[in-house]
Structures are given as C-alpha cells and as structure tokens.
Amino acid sequence: MKKASNLKFRNESALGWLLLLPSFIILGIFVFYPMLKTFFLSTQLTDLMGNPIKFIGFKNFSNLFTSDSFMTSFTITLIFVFFSTLLTLVMAYLMAMSASQKIMGIAVFRTMFSSTMGVSVTVASILWLFMFNPQIGMFSKILTFLHLPQINFLSDPTWSLVAIIGTTVWMNLGFAFLILLGAIQAIPQDLYQVADLDGASWLMRLRKITIPATSPTIFFVTVVTLINAFQTFGQVDILTSGGPDYHTNLLVYAIYQDAFVNHSVGRASAQSVILTIIIMLFTMIQFYVKNRKGANYANE
Amino acid sequence: MFKNVAKYVALTTIGLSAVVPMVQVHAADSKRQNIVFWHSMTGQNQQAIERIVNDFNASQTKYQVTPEFQGQYVEALPKFLSVGGTSKAPDLFQSNEISTKQLSTSGMIEPMQTLIKKYKYSTKNLRKNILNYYTINGKLYSMPFNSSAPVLYYNKDAFKAAGIDDLPTSPTYEQVTAAAKKLKEKTGSAKLSILPYGWTFEELLANQNQTLVNNGNGRKKTATKATFNNKAGKNIMNWIKTNASAGTLVDYGTGANAGDTELSAFTSGQIDMFMNSSASLGNIKKNAKFNIGVTYLPRPEGTKANGVVIGGASIWMSKGKSTKVQKGAFEFLKFATSAKEQAQWSIDTGYFAVNTKSYDTKQLKDAFKETPILAAPVNQLKDTKINAASKGALITAMPKERVNTQNAMENVINGKDVDSELSKAEKQTTSDIKQANEQAGE
C-alpha cells in the first residue's frame, strides 16, 4: 500500500517535472544563461569583439564607481525613476478619478486619456522633439508669448532631464490610467453611499475608501512603471542621445553605448549587474511593504 | 466545417513554410555565384546602391550580388563582428570610416591590397585623399565607395536681405561670426548653428593642420594620447563661445535626430548658416526655396585652410572566402567604383565620386553646369593638403572621443570654461584610448 502511493507520488512528480521542462529550457536559454554570462563578463577584460581576455575581478566595478560619467548616469537615473514614477502615478490617478464620474460622453474622455497607449516610443519621442524645438517648438512659442526667457530644453543640463521625464510620463499615462480606472470602477458603490450618509468629505472618502480599495492596483502600477522607468531607452536616444554632458545618460542607454558603440562589453556587463541589483532591491522592498500591508488588513 | 477550414489553413502554412526555403536554396544553387553584400544605406541612397547592384547583375552572367540592408553603421558593425570569420559572414561589408582601425585589426577581413595585387588592378584613378584614409602602412584595407566631407552652407537670399556680402570660398571664423551678428541685428534671432558633434570638432581641427591624437594621428604606430588641448582646439571652442554669448548661436542639442532638425531648420529658413556633410547637398538642393551658398570649412583668421578629412564609408572583403567568391566580389567593386557608376552615384546621393575620371563624364559635367555649387566640396577636397592631420585619426576609441568632444562643445555653449572643458575632454579621450589599446592587446 505504502509502496504503491510512493510510486504514484514519484510518477506524479516525474510528470510535473516533464511538464515544467519546456519552460525551464526556454527560461534557461533566454534568461538564466544570458544572466550568468553577464555576471561572468562583468569580471573580465573583454576584447573589441566582446570576447573575455582575462579575469580582472571587480576592476570593472571599481572603475565605474570612480568614473564621473557613470556616477552622473547613476544619480540621474535615480532622480529620473523617482519623478517619472511619482508623476505618472499621481496624474494617472487624478485622471482616473475624474474619468470615473458618470456623466454623458465620459467614454470620449476615457478614450482620450488612454490614447497615449497606442503611440509607440519612437513616434511619441519625435512628436515631443518637435515641441522642444528651440525655434518653432510649442514650448518656445509659449515662452515667447508669455515674455519669459527662452529655455533650450534639449541642451540645457537641468532642463533636458525635465524634458525626458515629461515625455516619459506622457507615454506612461495611458496604461496607468486604464488600469487605475478599472480598479476605481470596481469599488462597490454602497461604500460611498454609507460615507455620504455619515457626511464624509471628499478628502475623507478618498483617504478611507478609494485609496485603500485600490491599493493593490496602485502597487502593481508602481512596480510596472518603476521597472519601465529603469529600462527607458528610446526617448533618450531620440531626444538627447544621453547629452548634454551625460545629464540624460540613463543606465540602459549607457549600457547600450558601452556594449555596442564603444565595444566595452565588460564595462557594460558590470553596469547591467548593478542595474539588476537595483531593480531587484526595489522589487524586494515593494513586496515586503505589500506583505506587511496585507497582514495589517487581515488583522483589522 | 469551419474547423476543417482552419485545419487546411494550418496545414497549408506548414506546407508552404517547408517548401519556400527549398525554393530559395534552389535559386541560390543556380549557375551564378552568389555574393552577399551587407550595406547601411537608407532611403534615396538605398535605391542608388541597389541600382548599382542591379546594373552589375545585368552586366554579366557569372555572379549574382545580393544586397542586404543591415541597419545603420553602428548596428551593422557588431553584427559583422559576431559572424566574422565564419561561413555566415557576408562576402562584402560596408562600414563607416571610424571603424577602419577596428576592422583592419580584427583578423576577419582580407586587405583590399591583396586582391588588387592578385587581380592586377590599378587604383590610380581613385582619389588620393580618399585612398589615404583607408591605407595603413602603405596597404589599402578597404575599397573607397561613399565619401563625403564637411562644408559650410549659407542662405544667400538672407545674406542679401541683411545687406551682407557673400562669404568667400574659404571663410574665417571671424567672417562667419560677423555675418551671424548682422543677421541677428536684422532679424532679431540667432541664425547660426554649430552642432555639438565630435565629427565637426575633428574636421575643424584638421582644417588647422592639427592632429587629433599622437603618433601621426595613429597612422605611424598605435596612438596613445589625445592631442587637441592646444591653440587649435581653443580656437574652435572660443569661436563657439563667442557666438553662444553673443546670442547668435542656435543649439539643437545632441539627440539622434539633431542633425536632421538642423538640416530642416536650414531649408525652411530658420537658420541661415551651418556646417554639414557635402552628402547632404542633394537633400538641401531639393528642399531649399532660396539661393544656397556653399563654402569650404571655416578657419581662424591668419591661418591657411589645411583641408578636411573624408568621411563616409568603404567596402570590406571578408577573409576566408573561396577564390570564386573573391573574384566575383572584386569584379563588383571594380564596377561600383568605375567612372560611370560613381558619376551616377554622386548625382543620386551627393557623395563624392571616388573615381577622378567620373568628373570627365558627360553626366557629371552637365550636373555641375546646372548646379555650380556642387563644385565647392570637390574643390575643397582637391585643395586639401595631404598630411597626417588631413588623413584623419586612426583609433578604435573614436566613438568615445566624439562623445567627449561633443560634451565639451555642449558645455562651452552652456557657458562653461573653454580651457577646463578642453583639458577634461583630452584627458578622458587619452584614458579611453589607453583602455581600447589594452582591450586590443596593444
């Protein structure tokens, strides 16, 4: 009897492994192998074709942390990620709240608000490139109209990052809006009715009902936007190519430049490893926060 | 019923996907020797390169050249490096001038000199300055194909309206600045653009007979140091600074499309002076609704123009290909650089004809008569003194050098100090050269 169940168990687990095999193979080839190889290459001096020549330990890393261009990249990436995620979230939430009202023709606004989802990164960047043009761009015209001094958005060290953040937020809005709108609409209406009976203010209802009820979705949107922000590439390439003086040289763009333009695969791999660690850290923090929150709700 | 339709569709798809590759294999198996040619030409230039290939295929029956677009130069190079030396490598590969050092030392290519000797070809009709760029230690490594050099473009109508005389053939920085100031006075806005772009800096340096790196611009032996933090480098930066602080300079930044933005700003009359490749002349001619002026690259007052370094690309032959392929590939290169083909190529694209005999052909003579401004870039190339500076720098770290000088230019436009920016860019470039040399085992 015991033997039979053991056998059955073994068969079942064999079947389980068999069923998992295809995804293991695919993940192994396309995710785990490249990842391990990147870790390996980050400890190597590579030749101009990207082949490892000799082991140099953590020299790629120590070189990075003493190089001005990397430290600029690193700092501005963190600033960029923080502001683009925060702004996307706040703006998308406000848009989702205003679009969840039940008035006539609201569907038109919902479509408009989510329309940036249908624009590819390249197209969006080109559109914004026109708007940032120092002579005929929309922003330049507005500044002239308001008699304000001209700002060259794409070549000023401070404003260029603002320009990239603005473009990115605009591009991310559609997706974040759509997901948040769905969450807000899924909140049971009777909660609001009860709150109305109690005479709760708008702010109170937002704090006590809307935000808590949508917090899992807010969490999801934050994670997705944050990871997206770390991987920003297209808008940097088209708007500034990392300039002026590395002030928009976001990490992924720096990695691309080092690996494929400057042929320093070792240095690029080291930066990839750093980026991986950062993203992993953020994800871990967020999951930790989420788990604690979940536990709190269960207690209440 | 519908289920069955779906099944048939699926089966047909699978069936076709099995048959199609066989058909292709069959096509390649015909008597003609197939020659794969990777290039990076887009738009108008792609049509022009395909016309040359089609003409070649129609002109004989032994070889069939297949052109394959592999993305821009920056994208195509890593692709080539990852298949170089294997059977998957293309037979012919077009690559830009700054990859010369890397490709010549990669061990994946057959020096053009070997083929020239083997098939007894003479390069005497090809333009000397262009050959010089691709010649290392007396050996030609790749076949010149599409070459260009920078010139200064200006809007003659705008100059007239502002009461400014036309610029001379070889203008000075001071003359350009004076014109820019007058234009600003008359129109109220900045009308000169100097794009923060490493290539522009290199060319302005060469025009003052100053090398970018040591050891004869890296041509005598491997360069170990950048050498542009000097009088010549400062002249360039001060010229930029003068215009930036006078408010006569428009800055289009460093984005991937900044060059296109600058070009369309010129053709639509927002700016009246800028420097760009002579290969843009075709485009400008087509889109500008005013009289265009073309001059040599500017120089500081009191110096003589040394001339320019050629830019553009050349065609490389892969190593380890069969004699039959080599022979066919070389036949194609001879065809593509012949006087007639280069004349048409030059008219179609705006690149120089690399064959000097092209300028004796009727088609090019007619084109010059019709648009005299075509002559300025060619004359500038003819007047260029042949020396280490005009041969151009030969280093692998070129892309990094460009970013470093570009950053310095952008910082100077934004008001930073010329001396410290130049010294920073030079130091960084030297360290980049050292790193690249270490990577290459030199």
Side-chain angles (χ1 to χ4, degrees):
Chain A
M1 192 62 197
K2 203 180 172 194
K3 205 178 170 190
S5 87
N6 236 349
L7 194 69
K8 194 178 164 205
F9 175 73
R10 225 187 301 158
N11 275 342
E12 267 181 5
S13 85
L15 182 69
W17 284 110
L18 192 74
L19 290 174
L20 280 174
L21 198 64
S23 50
F24 269 129
I25 291 174
I26 290 172
L27 283 176
I29 294 172
F30 293 106
V31 180
F32 300 133
Y33 171 69
M35 219 160 106
L36 291 175
K37 181 103 193 242
T38 305
F39 276 105
F40 168 69
L41 285 173
S42 71
T43 62
Q44 300 282 321
L45 177 73
T46 53
D47 69 8
L48 297 166
M49 275 113 235
N51 305 314
I53 311 173
K54 66 172 186 209
F55 177 78
I56 52 167
F58 290 102
K59 194 145 176 273
N60 280 328
F61 291 91
S62 61
N63 281 347
L64 280 177
F65 284 108
T66 52
S67 110
D68 285 346
S69 68
F70 176 77
M71 288 321 283
T72 314
S73 284
F74 188 77
T75 323
I76 62 114
T77 303
L78 293 183
I79 298 173
F80 169 83
V81 168
F82 177 76
F83 281 105
S84 65
T85 310
L86 186 75
L87 287 173
T88 304
L89 209 67
V90 171
M91 286 174 71
Y93 206 85
L94 290 175
M95 278 158 64
M97 282 200 318
S98 55
S100 65
Q101 298 170 65
K102 292 192 177 58
I103 53 170
M104 224 180 67
I106 193 71
V108 176
F109 291 99
R110 286 180 190 161
T111 315
M112 270 167 58
F113 288 177
S114 56
S115 61
T116 62
M117 257 180 88
V119 186
S120 76
V121 175
T122 321
V123 175
S125 308
I126 301 265
L127 284 175
W128 282 78
L129 186 66
F130 285 134
M131 293 199 270
F132 287 129
N133 185 299
Q135 290 161 308
I136 51 163
M138 192 181 85
F139 294 111
S140 156
K141 296 261 177 212
I142 293 174
L143 289 173
T144 313
F145 181 74
L146 296 174
H147 296 286
L148 290 171
Q150 286 292 326
I151 296 167
N152 198 341
F153 283 96
L154 297 182
S155 61
D156 184 280
T158 318
W159 285 104
S160 54
L161 189 60
V162 176
I164 303 266
I165 292 175
T167 313
T168 311
V169 169
W170 184 82
M171 280 189 249
N172 290 346
L173 269 184
F175 172 75
F177 162 78
L178 206 66
I179 305 283
L180 290 171
L181 179 68
I184 290 178
Q185 284 184 320
I187 302 171
Q189 282 304 309
D190 43 352
L191 290 177
Y192 290 109
Q193 283 158 8
V194 172
D196 275 344
L197 283 179
D198 285 344
S201 66
W202 178 83
L203 200 67
M204 192 71 121
R205 294 196 316 182
L206 176 69
R207 265 182 49 212
K208 294 285 176 190
I209 304 173
T210 319
I211 291 181
T214 51
S215 72
T217 316
I218 295 178
F219 170 71
F220 167 74
V221 172
T222 314
V223 176
V224 172
T225 315
L226 198 97
I227 291 175
N228 259 338
F230 270 113
Q231 298 175 343
T232 300
F233 179 85
Q235 50 272 54
V236 177
D237 187 40
I238 288 173
L239 292 175
T240 61
S241 294
D245 200 8
Y246 299 117
H247 279 78
T248 57
N249 202 27
L250 298 180
L251 267 181
V252 171
Y253 194 72
I255 292 170
Y256 161 77
Q257 287 283 332
D258 273 332
F260 298 108
V261 181
N262 302 329
H263 311 289
S264 313
V265 174
R267 187 184 155 99
S269 301
Q271 290 178 77
S272 303
V273 170
I274 293 171
L275 183 67
T276 312
I277 293 171
I278 297 173
I279 293 186
M280 224 150 76
L281 232 94
F282 272 96
T283 320
M284 268 157 58
I285 292 171
Q286 278 173 319
F287 275 101
Y288 176 72
V289 170
K290 190 201 172 196
N291 284 342
R292 272 194 42 183
K293 255 195 184 162
N296 282 345
Y297 286 138
N299 289 340
E300 271 169 353
Chain B
M1 174 67 198
F2 277 108
K3 243 184 183 171
N4 281 340
V5 171
K7 270 185 199 162
Y8 283 122
V9 171
L11 284 174
T12 322
T13 317
I14 295 167
L16 278 180
S17 53
V19 173
V20 168
M22 289 200 289
V23 174
Q24 276 180 347
V25 167
H26 182 73
D29 202 30
S30 69
K31 280 209 180 112
R32 284 179 159 219
Q33 172 61 48
N34 193 37
I35 289 158
V36 178
F37 173 31
W38 282 11
H39 69 83
S40 295
M41 300 278 95
T42 53
Q44 202 175 317
N45 297 353
Q46 180 166 15
Q47 285 170 13
I49 209 170
E50 278 168 4
R51 189 193 53 74
I52 295 181
V53 169
N54 291 340
D55 285 359
F56 175 73
N57 288 340
S59 75
Q60 42 75 42
T61 52
K62 269 167 126 177
Y63 311 105
Q64 173 84 25
V65 174
T66 314
E68 283 176 13
F69 173 70
Q70 291 290 341
Q72 296 180 345
Y73 297 133
V74 189
E75 295 154 359
L77 183 63
K79 280 192 204 173
F80 179 81
L81 293 175
S82 63
V83 294
T86 72
S87 62
K88 289 195 179 60
D91 306 313
L92 292 171
F93 173 55
Q94 182 195 28
S95 194
N96 63 351
E97 84 282 21
I98 59 171
S99 63
T100 301
K101 170 88 177 169
Q102 185 167 17
L103 281 172
S104 65
T105 53
S106 68
M108 297 173 182
I109 57 101
E110 189 70 59
M112 208 42 70
Q113 199 70 45
T114 322
L115 303 183
I116 287 173
K117 236 169 125 186
K118 202 162 163 189
Y119 301 109
K120 297 184 180 59
Y121 177 70
S122 162
T123 54
K124 70 174 188 325
N125 286 339
L126 301 185
R127 194 173 286 286
K128 194 90 176 82
N129 332 29
I130 302 176
L131 284 173
N132 271 340
Y133 192 100
Y134 302 106
T135 304
I136 307 164
N137 298 331
K139 229 177 176 183
L140 183 69
Y141 269 81
S142 58
M143 190 59 102
F145 178 66
N146 53 318
S147 289
S148 59
V151 287
L152 178 94
Y153 296 98
Y154 69 101
N155 183 332
K156 278 192 168 176
D157 293 358
F159 268 53
K160 201 181 247 174
I164 311 167
D165 294 336
D166 282 352
L167 290 173
T169 318
S170 171
T172 63
Y173 293 170
E174 288 73 14
Q175 283 166 329
V176 172
T177 307
K181 281 183 178 158
K182 264 195 194 149
L183 286 166
K184 163 107 185 181
E185 251 170 55
K186 288 275 170 190
T187 62
S189 51
K191 291 290 189 184
L192 165 71
S193 166
I194 303 172
L195 207 63
Y197 183 36
W199 179 65
T200 314
F201 182 84
E202 288 160 23
E203 294 286 359
L204 290 168
L205 201 67
N207 204 22
Q208 300 178 59
N209 192 9
Q210 178 63 54
T211 60
L212 189 72
V213 293
N214 67 352
N215 293 340
N217 244 348
R219 285 176 182 273
K220 269 193 247 144
K221 56 182 189 181
T222 304
T224 54
K225 242 173 70 191
T227 56
F228 54 76
N229 182 15
N230 48 30
K231 184 92 199 321
K234 279 174 196 157
N235 284 339
I236 301 168
M237 291 298 183
N238 281 324
W239 180 40
I240 296 173
K241 196 176 182 79
T242 307
N243 279 290
S245 45
T248 50
L249 189 76
V250 185
D251 180 7
Y252 292 102
T254 49
N257 291 46
D260 295 338
T261 310
E262 186 193 40
L263 203 138
S264 53
F266 179 71
T267 54
S268 61
Q270 292 151 37
I271 53 168
D272 296 329
M273 278 188 283
F274 81 118
M275 290 171 284
N276 200 330
S277 159
S278 57
S280 306
L281 188 50
N283 189 338
I284 293 173
K285 212 170 59 192
K286 206 166 91 188
N287 294 313
K289 303 274 178 296
F290 48 80
N291 285 310
I292 310 157
V294 183
T295 73
Y296 292 8
L297 206 64
R299 62 193 160 85
E301 210 164 61
T303 64
K304 275 219 168 102
N306 182 57
V308 285
V309 182
I310 61 111
S314 61
I315 304 177
W316 298 76
M317 173 81 213
S318 272
K319 209 182 181 76
K321 298 290 177 185
S322 71
T323 314
K324 204 176 167 195
V325 169
Q326 249 186 27
K327 208 170 168 190
F330 198 67
E331 282 299 316
F332 172 68
L333 291 180
K334 277 202 295 200
F335 182 85
T337 53
S338 65
K340 187 170 154 276
E341 289 302 318
Q342 277 292 315
Q344 189 58 42
W345 167 252
S346 174
I347 292 166
D348 289 348
T349 61
Y351 282 111
F352 293 125
V354 298
N355 195 317
T356 49
K357 288 275 180 284
S358 297
Y359 295 95
D360 300 335
T361 60
K362 190 176 172 316
Q363 38 196 148
L364 211 51
K365 274 187 173 163
D366 287 350
F368 272 69
K369 219 174 276 165
E370 205 180 311
T371 18
I373 49 169
L374 286 176
V378 183
N379 289 338
Q380 173 173 242
L381 200 61
K382 280 185 191 158
D383 287 348
T384 293
K385 317 249 178 331
I386 292 179
N387 47 35
S390 72
K391 276 181 185 170
L394 193 67
I395 53 170
T396 320
M398 209 70 161
K400 284 203 158 174
E401 172 272 319
R402 287 200 172 166
V403 171
N404 298 338
T405 47
Q406 169 179 310
N407 285 340
M409 289 168 95
E410 185 72 276
N411 285 342
V412 165
I413 294 175
N414 283 323
K416 291 228 175 111
D417 180 55
V418 167
D419 291 2
S420 65
E421 285 303 319
L422 259 181
S423 117
K424 198 175 89 183
E426 190 191 60
K427 266 192 204 128
Q428 186 59 46
T429 306
T430 298
S431 111
D432 291 337
I433 290 172
K434 290 219 163 95
Q435 202 211 329
N437 289 347
E438 194 188 353
Q439 282 182 296
E442 283 176 319

